[in-house]
Amino acid sequence: MNFNELSSLKVGVAFSGGLDSTFIASELIRNGIKPTLYFIDNEIDEDRVISSKQAEYISNKLNLTLQKIIITKILKFKIIYNIFFIDKFNN
């Protein structure tokens, strides 16, 4: 699949605000695709506050929508085995 094929689809990026996910979002924008960014907040890790603020800051700089998905301990365990469950939150 190339960028032209993606342009007609709704694209989402699992977004931490780190180097990798920021690069992916930036490349999509550079190629004419405006993705929705998804930040998973597990409400457990202490560094989540810093990560959340970083994700918010960068999404604002990129002018992209950031959706925060808050999960519980049970869903955190589930996400390890089924990372693509995020589609359920899009409906």
Side-chain angles (χ1 to χ4, degrees):
M1 185 170 279
N2 61 41
F3 287 113
N4 289 335
E5 294 171 320
L6 286 176
S7 64
S8 64
L9 301 174
K10 184 175 179 182
V11 177
V13 174
F15 192 73
S16 66
L19 182 61
D20 295 341
S21 57
T22 300
F23 175 77
I24 291 167
S26 297
E27 281 299 297
L28 288 168
I29 292 168
R30 191 172 69 81
N31 285 280
I33 299 161
K34 190 170 181 177
T36 299
L37 307 177
Y38 294 92
F39 178 81
I40 298 175
D41 184 345
N42 62 24
E43 294 191 318
I44 299 167
D45 297 330
E46 291 183 19
D47 66 343
R48 71 181 171 81
V49 174
I50 295 169
S51 297
S52 177
K53 289 190 183 300
Q54 180 73 9
E56 287 175 14
Y57 176 79
I58 292 174
S59 66
N60 286 334
K61 287 290 185 185
L62 295 175
N63 196 28
L64 295 175
T65 300
L66 177 67
Q67 296 287 323
K68 288 188 181 183
I69 300 171
I70 299 173
I71 61 173
T72 63
K73 287 182 182 181
I74 294 169
L75 284 178
K76 183 181 180 190
F77 184 76
K78 182 179 179 182
I79 204 170
I80 293 169
Y81 292 100
N82 187 4
I83 194 68
F84 298 105
F85 83 101
I86 293 174
D87 283 344
K88 295 178 183 173
F89 290 93
N90 288 334
N91 297 329

